[in-house]
Amino acid sequence: MTSKHTVLVTRKLPKAVEDRLKRDYDVHLNPDDIMYTTDDLIKLSGEAEAILTCNTEHFTGDVVLRLPDSVKIVANYSVGVDHCDLESFRKRGIIVTNTPDVLSDATAEIAILLMLGAARRASEGERMMRKGSWNKWSPEFMVGSAVTGKRLGIIGMGRVGQIVAKRARGFEMEIHYCNRRRLPEANENGAIYHHSIESLLPVSDILSLNCPATPETINLLTAERIAMLPDGAIVVNTARGALIDEKALVDALNSGKLASAGLDVYRNEPGGSPTISKLPNTFLLPHIGSATIETRNAMGFRALDNLDAYFSNRAPRDRVA
Ligand code: 8YV
C-alpha cells in the first residue's frame, strides 16, 4: 500500500471537500477554524508536502522563505493570488495554483446585486424597515436611479467580467469595457472596447471593477479618475479593495459626484471601512462574492484536482507559479 501524501489545510472547508481530503490524503485539518499566525503556519507546515490555503493567509516573501523544504505545492482556495508573493515561490521552486472559473458565476451574481442595491437604495430601505421607521410615502421618497438601459463600464473583461456583461444584457445595458487585450469579436457580443481607462470612464453610468489586484491595478480608481465618471455614477467592486483609493471614493460619495457605491471588498478585511459604513449611499457586503455552497465546494474540488495532478506527476491545470 502506498502511503498518502501530507496536506496542511489552513481553514475549515465545506464537509464534502474535507471528506475528499480525508479519503485521499494524510491531512491536517483546522476543525475550529483557528486563524494561524505566521509562526503557527510555519510550524504546522512541518513535514507537509502541500498546503491548501485561503487568501486569509499571507504568503509574503519572508513567509515563503521560511516554509520547510517538504512543501512542494501551495494550492489556493481562491482565484485571486494577491496574498502570495509568486516570485518568491518561483525562486523556491514551490508550485502555486488557484481556482479560476468555478467562482465566476457566483461573483457576477454579487456584482449584479450590488448594482441593483446601490442604484435602488436597497440598503437604506432595508434598514428603515428593520428599524420600523418607515412612516411616510411621497413621490420623491427613496428615489434612486434605474439600472435598465444604462451604460455599464467593466474594468477587467476576464471570466467574471464577461459573465457580469452577460447578466447585465438582461437589463438592456450598453456594455463598455477596458481590458489588457481586446476580446475576440465573437466573445464581445456587442461590448465596446476601450484602449484606456480614461476613455471608458466618461461612458460608465455604472462602473464595475473585475480585474485582479496586481502592481498595475492597485489604486487604479483615483480621485482624478472618479472625476472622469458621469455625475451621479455608481461604482461597484467585487474584485479587491486595493483597486480603489477609499478616501477618494468617500469624498465623491459625500459630494454627490457618485450617487452610490456597491462594495463587496475593502482594503481592510475583515472589517471594512468604518467611514464607508457610515455613508447612507453605499450598499455593502462582507466579501461574499464566492459564498454559495455550490461554489465553495467547487473551489475545494478544483484545489484538490490541482493537488491530485501534482501528486500523480501531471501538470496542475491552474498553475500560477
Ligand atoms: C474567496 C476571492 O472568498 O477567490 C477569491 O479570490 O476573493 C474569494 O471569493 C477567497 O479568496 C477564499 O480564499
Side-chain angles (χ1 to χ4, degrees):
M1 198 180 100
T2 52
S3 63
K4 290 177 175 177
H5 293 284
T6 48
V7 182
L8 169 69
V9 180
T10 63
R11 301 296 305 272
K12 186 175 188 312
L13 298 177
K15 183 178 178 310
V17 179
E18 292 200 345
D19 285 349
R20 185 170 143 186
L21 271 157
K22 284 190 275 193
R23 187 193 66 193
D24 297 341
Y25 290 94
D26 178 3
V27 64
H28 184 292
L29 296 173
N30 183 355
D32 297 321
D33 204 31
I34 295 160
M35 287 298 299
Y36 296 143
T37 64
T38 299
D39 285 343
D40 294 336
L41 191 67
I42 304 296
K43 207 162 114 204
L44 288 167
S45 300
E47 301 293 300
E49 296 165 272
I51 301 177
L52 200 165
T53 186
C54 290
N55 75 345
T56 42
E57 284 64 62
H58 294 265
F59 288 87
T60 59
D62 175 54
V63 175
V64 176
L65 270 181
R66 293 176 60 200
L67 288 175
D69 288 338
S70 58
V71 176
K72 305 294 180 216
I73 175 166
V74 171
N76 278 293
Y77 183 84
S78 70
V79 64
V81 288
D82 46 307
H83 57 293
C84 292
D85 183 333
L86 296 182
E87 203 35 54
S88 298
F89 275 113
R90 282 187 199 106
K91 281 192 190 130
R92 284 221 43 200
I94 299 174
I95 290 173
V96 181
T97 60
N98 69 344
T99 57
D101 303 319
V102 290
L103 41 66
S104 306
D105 279 311
T107 308
E109 282 180 3
I110 291 292
I112 299 292
L113 174 63
L114 292 178
M115 267 177 224
L116 293 170
R120 300 302 304 272
R121 302 174 59 176
S123 183
E124 283 171 83
E126 223 260 348
R127 269 174 291 155
M128 188 179 283
M129 293 309 292
R130 288 183 187 277
K131 274 202 323 221
S133 60
W134 178 34
N135 52 17
K136 67 156 191 176
W137 185 93
S138 76
E140 287 186 315
F141 170 67
M142 278 264 143
V143 168
S145 58
V147 165
T148 303
K150 291 289 171 71
R151 297 169 298 177
L152 172 64
I154 297 178
I155 299 184
M157 198 62 144
R159 301 172 189 91
V160 178
Q162 288 182 52
I163 298 175
V164 171
K166 191 170 165 184
R167 305 285 176 251
R169 281 187 195 100
F171 288 98
E172 292 149 36
M173 298 184 87
E174 181 180 292
I175 316 294
H176 295 255
Y177 75 100
C178 179
N179 198 42
R180 271 174 307 175
R181 265 171 274 117
R182 185 174 176 170
L183 298 182
E185 218 176 308
N187 297 1
E188 280 184 329
N189 295 309
I192 300 153
Y193 176 65
H194 294 256
H195 287 280
S196 69
I197 294 177
E198 283 67 24
S199 149
L200 177 78
L201 294 173
V203 295
S204 301
D205 299 315
I206 299 180
L207 180 72
S208 176
L209 302 182
N210 296 105
C211 57
T214 64
E216 293 75 42
T217 63
I218 284 173
N219 273 326
L220 75 80
L221 199 61
T222 56
E224 291 71 27
R225 283 182 166 157
I226 291 174
M228 293 175 197
L229 286 162
D231 289 344
I234 292 171
V235 170
V236 164
N237 190 6
T238 50
R240 284 292 182 266
L243 302 179
I244 300 182
D245 174 343
E246 278 186 357
K247 182 178 177 315
L249 183 78
V250 167
D251 289 347
L253 287 164
N254 274 325
S255 72
K257 169 67 196 176
L258 292 178
S260 56
L263 307 174
D264 185 46
V265 289
Y266 310 86
R267 285 189 171 252
N268 174 44
E269 292 187 11
S273 151
T275 319
I276 290 177
S277 297
K278 281 196 198 97
L279 296 175
N281 50 345
T282 53
F283 182 78
L284 307 174
L285 294 174
H287 199 151
I288 55 165
S290 64
T292 67
I293 187 58
E294 296 86 351
T295 297
R296 290 284 161 85
N297 280 338
M299 289 165 73
F301 297 147
R302 185 83 173 224
L304 275 167
D305 290 346
N306 285 312
L307 290 182
D308 294 351
Y310 173 75
F311 287 117
S312 42
N313 297 316
R314 288 178 283 116
R317 76 191 267 204
D318 305 314
R319 184 170 177 173
V320 291

